[in-house]
Amino acid sequence: MVSPSKALEVFIHLFHPWYFLLYSTFWLPGTIWYLINTMQLRTLFTPRRLQSAWFARFWGRIGSNIRENATPRVQPLIVQAHGVVLDIGPGNGEWLSCFDKEKIERIYGVEPNVECHGRLREKIAATGLQDIYVIVPVGVEDLEQWAKKEGKGNLGKGSVDSVVTVFCLCSVPQPKRMIKDLYGYLKEGGNWIVYEHVIQKENRFLVWYQAYVNVFWPHFVGGCSITRDTVRWLKEAGSWSKVGLKKPEDEPSYNMLPHIMGVLTK
């Protein structure tokens, strides 16, 4: 028989996504008011841009809390980044302090959401990365074209030592295509550092319930999806010499936002 405390714990995990969505809605009115006050009417009346502005303000508030909780898992991964690095979707720069500057030649922070760039620049300066961190204001699909335009000759297919994806593969528009593109940028022997939430596969009810939550989730969390089979797509991206991915040991099987973490080596 399930104890009351265990039943309560399971309920909290099942309810948590709805609490997160509710908390997100509190930031929409403030975002609209801010855009009106600053006369950013084009952003206000363009749904995708409004969503980006809303998410940037929301994430600016909760990002530090998420970083604090996840740092014991994420920092030992990011510290393995070296050489030329692609930092995908850095957002407001929550993870910049995890990089080991002694190992880094250049970091390209691929962040198309310009609403995040202000806070990202502040975090770059605060962490002393201003000499090696370059903000790339386009998506991965336009990265090569941007590099040619900006004269970044060292950035092309087969030129990157490390790729870092932390809480970003869940929100890109074409994840399978982007994963394959990023695999192409990696050198032989390069590493891909991963910390992402992924699809729930524990039992039929959880799979169904997560899919139901995901009907609403992307609209409130910047286009993020919680039902992506990211592990399979990473493994199928190309040939790996080592796949060191695992589920965090302290996560229960009924977590509605299960994570995967680790490093893949090309």
Side-chain angles (χ1 to χ4, degrees):
M1 184 176 178
V2 178
S3 67
S5 60
K6 186 66 174 181
L8 178 61
E9 180 183 340
V10 173
F11 173 78
I12 290 173
H13 276 276
L14 294 178
F15 177 75
H16 179 260
W18 301 109
Y19 168 78
F20 197 82
L21 296 187
L22 180 62
Y23 188 56
S24 172
T25 61
F26 291 154
W27 292 87
L28 180 57
T31 301
I32 293 173
W33 182 245
Y34 169 77
L35 294 174
I36 292 173
N37 278 343
T38 55
M39 295 301 291
Q40 297 184 53
L41 301 183
R42 183 180 177 186
T43 297
L44 181 63
F45 294 109
T46 305
R48 181 170 291 277
R49 296 182 65 169
L50 173 59
Q51 186 184 55
S52 295
W54 172 19
F55 179 70
R57 289 173 65 84
F58 170 55
W59 194 256
R61 174 62 182 85
I62 68 165
S64 58
N65 294 334
I66 291 177
R67 179 189 180 280
E68 183 178 348
N69 293 332
T71 291
R73 301 172 183 170
V74 175
Q75 186 165 10
L77 299 175
I78 293 183
V79 77
Q80 298 178 57
H82 63 283
V84 177
V85 179
L86 285 180
D87 184 18
I88 309 301
N92 295 322
E94 289 86 2
W95 310 106
L96 297 194
S97 62
C98 296
F99 285 100
D100 183 348
K101 290 183 285 187
E102 299 301 318
K103 298 179 180 178
I104 305 296
E105 175 185 339
R106 183 74 65 188
I107 306 175
Y108 293 98
V110 182
E111 181 51 76
N113 186 354
V114 297
E115 301 294 337
C116 295
H117 288 184
R119 289 191 179 95
L120 179 55
R121 290 190 186 94
E122 292 174 1
K123 196 60 66 75
I124 290 169
T127 52
L129 295 173
Q130 58 268 32
D131 293 333
I132 62 173
Y133 201 104
V134 178
I135 297 177
V136 180
V138 299
V140 172
E141 66 277 7
D142 297 317
L143 179 57
E144 195 165 20
Q145 183 180 355
W146 175 89
K148 291 177 180 178
K149 179 182 177 182
E150 298 295 323
K152 308 296 182 182
N154 65 333
L155 182 59
K157 293 300 176 67
S159 68
V160 172
D161 298 287
S162 297
V163 171
V164 176
T165 53
V166 177
F167 292 133
C168 72
L169 297 178
C170 56
S171 58
V172 294
Q174 296 179 297
K176 293 176 68 175
R177 174 185 169 183
M178 195 190 85
I179 287 170
K180 282 187 174 293
D181 284 346
L182 287 173
Y183 177 87
Y185 279 96
L186 268 179
K187 294 178 180 178
E188 293 292 327
N191 61 1
W192 188 327
I193 294 157
V194 177
Y195 187 80
E196 299 282 350
H197 61 74
V198 294
I199 189 170
Q200 171 65 255
K201 293 185 176 182
E202 291 297 329
N203 63 54
R204 288 185 180 181
F205 169 74
L206 293 177
V207 170
W208 172 85
Y209 183 64
Q210 189 190 52
Y212 178 70
V213 172
N214 199 57
V215 172
F216 307 94
W217 186 274
H219 304 291
F220 290 79
V221 193
C224 170
S225 170
I226 60 174
T227 59
R228 292 184 172 178
D229 200 353
T230 303
V231 175
R232 179 168 64 87
W233 298 339
L234 283 166
K235 290 179 178 179
E236 294 175 352
S239 178
W240 300 102
S241 63
K242 182 179 179 181
V243 178
L245 298 178
K246 64 178 182 179
K247 176 183 174 181
E249 296 177 357
D250 58 344
E251 278 194 0
S253 60
Y254 43 82
N255 188 356
M256 293 312 301
L257 290 146
H259 295 85
I260 196 71
M261 57 184 287
V263 180
L264 303 96
T265 305
K266 190 171 181 179

